[in-house]
């Protein structure tokens, strides 16, 4: 109902999504998203924050997760739908990136969250998940950038990857 109210307020050609919490917790999984098109790095806003401590207002965001999005069929058709070449991950980011090219905005909508069993089928920390995420990230970078940026981005990602692992180890 809340998403439908906002369609009337902001227009029916945009993409809308609710705040999403991990199931059975008050921890936020998604309250908007940011991404860097050159590095292909996407980040959920508010991830792992406690719902009681933070209130996210309706706002334009870089992308809406495919976990729950409200989008008009005409808009999906205009964007040629989801790119099925992505085995999993990044198909929603790709769709939202193409939407911006048509001046379609993505809105995260405040209000009661929905709850999501994150990575239920594949496992949150499985090798299978990491593999598909990395493949999709490189596919996204290749698709939206020219070949030179793709090569530079791959080199930067290779350099940065050990830093992400060190950061995770230090946090544990």
């Amino acid at each position: 109902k809340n998403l439908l109210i906002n369609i009337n307020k902001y227009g029916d050609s945009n993409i809308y999504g609710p705040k999403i919490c991990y199931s059975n917790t008050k921890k936020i999984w998604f309250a908007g998203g940011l991404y860097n098109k050159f590095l292909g790095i996407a980040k959920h806003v508010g991830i792992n924050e406690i719902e009681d401590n933070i209130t996210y207002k309706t706002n334009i965001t870089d992308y809406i997760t495919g976990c729950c999005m409200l989008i008009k069929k005409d808009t999906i058709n205009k964007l040629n739908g989801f790119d099925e070449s992505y085995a999993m991950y990044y198909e929603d980011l790709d769709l939202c990136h193409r939407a911006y090219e048509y001046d379609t905005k993505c809105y995260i909508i405040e209000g009661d969250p929905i709850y999501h069993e994150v990575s239920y089928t594949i496992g949150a920390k499985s090798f299978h998940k990491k593999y598909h995420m990395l493949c999709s990230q490189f596919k996204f970078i290749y698709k939206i950038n020219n070949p030179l940026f793709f090569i530079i981005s791959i080199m930067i990602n290779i350099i940065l990857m050990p830093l992400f692992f060190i950061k995770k180890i230090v946090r544990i």
Side-chain angles (χ1 to χ4, degrees), residues 34-70:
L34 304 169
Y35 73 97
N36 179 305
K37 77 177 201 169
F38 298 110
L39 297 178
I41 297 171
K43 181 177 180 358
H44 288 1
V45 172
I47 193 162
N48 291 319
E49 298 291 337
I50 302 296
E51 170 65 27
D52 288 342
N53 299 335
I54 299 173
T55 302
Y56 289 95
K57 299 292 182 190
T58 296
N59 204 354
I60 293 175
T61 188
D62 286 354
Y63 68 93
I64 295 296
T65 177
C67 167
C68 181
M69 60 172 47
L70 181 61

Side-chain angles (χ1 to χ4, degrees), residues 9 15 83 99:
K9 186 174 183 180
I15 302 171
D83 183 342

Side-chain angles (χ1 to χ4, degrees), residues 14-16 35 62-66 69-73 75-83 86 89-102 104-106 140 143-144:
N14 296 308
I15 302 171
Y16 297 89
Y35 73 97
D62 286 354
Y63 68 93
I64 295 296
T65 177
M69 60 172 47
L70 181 61
I71 183 170
K72 192 174 175 186
K73 186 176 186 322
T75 304
I76 285 277
N77 291 340
K78 177 174 71 172
L79 299 172
N80 296 318
F82 288 97
D83 183 342
Y86 292 96
Y89 306 111
Y90 278 77
E91 69 281 352
D92 46 6
L93 181 62
D94 176 72
L95 180 80
C96 293
H97 176 77
R98 286 182 282 129
Y100 276 109
E101 294 173 356
Y102 285 98
T104 297
K105 294 176 179 61
C106 297
F140 179 74
K143 182 178 177 184
I144 67 169

Side-chain angles (χ1 to χ4, degrees):
K1 179 180 173 183
N2 199 21
L3 296 176
L4 292 173
I5 290 168
N6 281 278
I7 282 177
N8 292 329
K9 186 174 183 180
Y10 298 108
D12 66 358
S13 65
N14 296 308
I15 302 171
Y16 297 89
K19 183 172 43 183
I20 303 170
C21 289
Y22 291 95
S23 64
N24 302 318
T25 73
K26 291 188 174 191
K27 279 190 168 186
I28 295 170
W29 179 69
F30 182 80
L34 304 169
Y35 73 97
N36 179 305
K37 77 177 201 169
F38 298 110
L39 297 178
I41 297 171
K43 181 177 180 358
H44 288 1
V45 172
I47 193 162
N48 291 319
E49 298 291 337
I50 302 296
E51 170 65 27
D52 288 342
N53 299 335
I54 299 173
T55 302
Y56 289 95
K57 299 292 182 190
T58 296
N59 204 354
I60 293 175
T61 188
D62 286 354
Y63 68 93
I64 295 296
T65 177
C67 167
C68 181
M69 60 172 47
L70 181 61
I71 183 170
K72 192 174 175 186
K73 186 176 186 322
D74 291 346
T75 304
I76 285 277
N77 291 340
K78 177 174 71 172
L79 299 172
N80 296 318
F82 288 97
D83 183 342
E84 295 180 13
S85 71
Y86 292 96
M88 53 176 55
Y89 306 111
Y90 278 77
E91 69 281 352
D92 46 6
L93 181 62
D94 176 72
L95 180 80
C96 293
H97 176 77
R98 286 182 282 129
Y100 276 109
E101 294 173 356
Y102 285 98
D103 203 31
T104 297
K105 294 176 179 61
C106 297
Y107 285 90
I108 185 75
I109 304 301
E110 67 184 279
D112 292 333
I114 65 164
Y115 295 90
H116 179 44
E117 287 278 349
V118 178
S119 299
Y120 179 78
T121 56
I122 198 167
K125 296 181 181 184
S126 70
F127 172 78
H128 191 64
K129 177 180 179 174
K130 304 289 186 207
Y131 169 78
H132 282 291
M133 204 166 253
L134 189 62
C135 289
S136 294
Q137 177 184 1
F138 288 158
K139 185 179 292 186
F140 179 74
I141 296 166
Y142 180 77
K143 182 178 177 184
I144 67 169
N145 293 296
N146 68 44
L148 178 61
F149 275 121
F150 175 71
I151 292 167
I152 293 168
S153 177
I154 296 299
M155 291 182 347
I156 291 171
N157 272 296
I158 289 169
I159 292 167
L160 291 178
M161 212 170 288
L163 298 176
F164 290 122
F165 288 120
I166 290 169
K167 183 179 175 184
K168 286 191 183 265
I169 290 170
V170 170
R171 230 190 273 164
I172 294 174

